[in-house]
Amino acid sequence: MLDFVQQLVSGVALGCVYGLIALGFVLVYKATEVVNFAQGDLMMIGGFFAFTFIGMMGLNYWIGFAGAVAAMALFGMLTERVVVRPILGYPQFSIIMVTIGLGYFLRSIAGMIWGTDDLKIETPFSQGVLRIGSLVLAYDKLSVIAATMILCTLLWLFFNKTTLGTAMRASSENMLAAYYMGIPVKRVVSIVWAISAAVATCAGVLLAPITFIHSNVGLVLGLKAFPAAVLGGFGSIPGAVVGGVLIGVIESMAGFYLPEGWKDVAPYVVLLAVLLLKPEGLFGHHVRKKV
């Protein structure tokens, strides 16, 4: 039973990281109908920014964290303006290929600047455990879960209780109607990309106590986060987080209880099973087309 609980907590912590990356997929898609396959690489760049501020410049962890989030928010806005906006309106395949190319570019740049070695960020949660009887839970994993809950709550309050959040939701529902109502759609889309990059950075920094940061970590985690977004329902913000947690828990349990090799396969088996039964995802809305 203790092993089960420890694997569950580990899976939820890893799933929270998947969920935050998946959240970035969903935010960008809802605002622009663009699937950003470089989302995992934005997380990777954010992690390297945090390493630069905290590990190399010696800044306080929280100041470095905030600096990395702010820097990546600006980087997200710049990416939308320079890379994405000029190709909006082109076929989806062209846009997807551009985001895949952006991912390759970011990985190459990261390798040239920070090298190809594995790096680790020391955090206030890197050491220490919580003991509940015979149960031992690491602070680093509990911190990821707590931070994800706080971040999701703040995003929910922003999107539902602020004027800018309401404008973003209106733009995601109908961009043309929002434009006619006086909403600055281009500015809103830039802010969505900024939020998406900032959330990805939070995932990268939270991931640091659990695993190392390297130039290919974004590709690896992005390939796990995209199915998480699909599993939850690609247009659903809560579904992205729930899908990420489910993928993380399934992966953790499969790695512990099933034979070797099932760890990476099991999440996709579950994803296929869910989509066969509910093609729109767990939280997606089914649209019936008339023939």
Side-chain angles (χ1 to χ4, degrees):
M1 184 62 183
L2 292 178
D3 288 337
F4 175 81
V5 174
Q6 288 177 334
Q7 291 301 316
L8 179 64
V9 172
S10 297
V12 171
L14 184 59
C16 285
V17 175
Y18 292 158
L20 290 177
I21 302 173
L23 192 59
F25 277 111
V26 171
L27 288 173
V28 170
Y29 181 77
K30 282 178 69 68
T32 61
E33 294 190 350
V34 171
V35 180
N36 177 24
F37 281 101
Q39 187 65 31
D41 297 296
L42 291 177
M43 181 219 70
M44 175 266 299
I45 293 293
F48 276 126
F49 270 131
F51 174 80
T52 300
F53 294 147
I54 300 168
M56 298 175 67
M57 297 176 62
L59 296 179
N60 174 272
Y61 172 77
W62 300 107
I63 295 175
F65 195 150
V69 169
M72 282 303 296
L74 293 175
F75 184 81
M77 295 181 73
L78 179 65
T79 300
E80 186 277 332
R81 183 65 184 88
V82 175
V83 178
V84 178
R85 191 179 300 182
I87 61 172
L88 288 179
Y90 283 82
Q92 281 290 330
F93 179 77
S94 301
I95 300 175
I96 288 172
M97 291 306 299
V98 167
T99 63
I100 292 174
L102 174 63
Y104 276 102
F105 174 75
L106 293 178
R107 290 193 292 276
S108 300
I109 290 294
M112 287 188 285
I113 296 176
W114 289 282
T116 56
D117 294 334
D118 293 344
L119 305 175
K120 190 171 185 179
I121 301 173
E122 290 298 326
T123 77
F125 314 106
S126 297
Q127 305 295 329
V129 295
L130 174 66
R131 297 183 183 276
I132 306 174
S134 301
L135 181 64
V136 179
L137 301 174
Y139 281 148
D140 54 4
K141 294 180 174 62
L142 295 177
S143 69
V144 172
I145 298 171
T148 301
M149 293 173 63
I150 293 170
L151 184 59
C152 289
T153 301
L154 292 175
L155 285 173
W156 183 87
L157 291 172
F158 173 76
F159 280 109
N160 291 278
K161 302 297 182 181
T162 67
T163 303
L164 180 57
T166 303
M168 287 181 176
R169 288 192 292 120
S171 297
S172 68
E173 292 295 332
N174 191 318
M175 197 175 291
L176 187 60
Y179 177 79
Y180 285 137
M181 291 297 293
I183 295 174
V185 173
K186 290 182 179 179
R187 188 183 307 166
V188 165
V189 171
S190 290
I191 294 173
V192 168
W193 272 80
I195 293 174
S196 174
V199 170
T201 302
C202 291
V205 180
L206 293 173
L207 180 72
I210 300 175
T211 186
F212 293 100
I213 300 171
H214 53 86
S215 57
N216 287 319
V217 69
L219 175 63
V220 174
L221 295 183
L223 291 176
K224 297 285 182 64
F226 183 72
V230 175
L231 180 62
F234 208 80
S236 171
I237 291 176
V241 179
V242 173
V245 171
L246 287 175
I247 292 289
V249 169
I250 292 166
E251 182 178 322
S252 179
M253 293 297 180
F256 188 78
Y257 289 106
L258 296 181
E260 186 178 355
W262 275 95
K263 178 180 179 180
D264 294 323
V265 175
Y268 295 98
V269 173
V270 173
L271 173 65
L272 290 173
V274 170
L275 294 182
L276 284 173
L277 299 172
K278 204 172 189 299
E280 67 276 14
L282 295 175
F283 291 82
H285 299 291
H286 180 64
V287 179
R288 184 182 297 275
K289 293 184 178 181
K290 295 182 179 179
V291 180

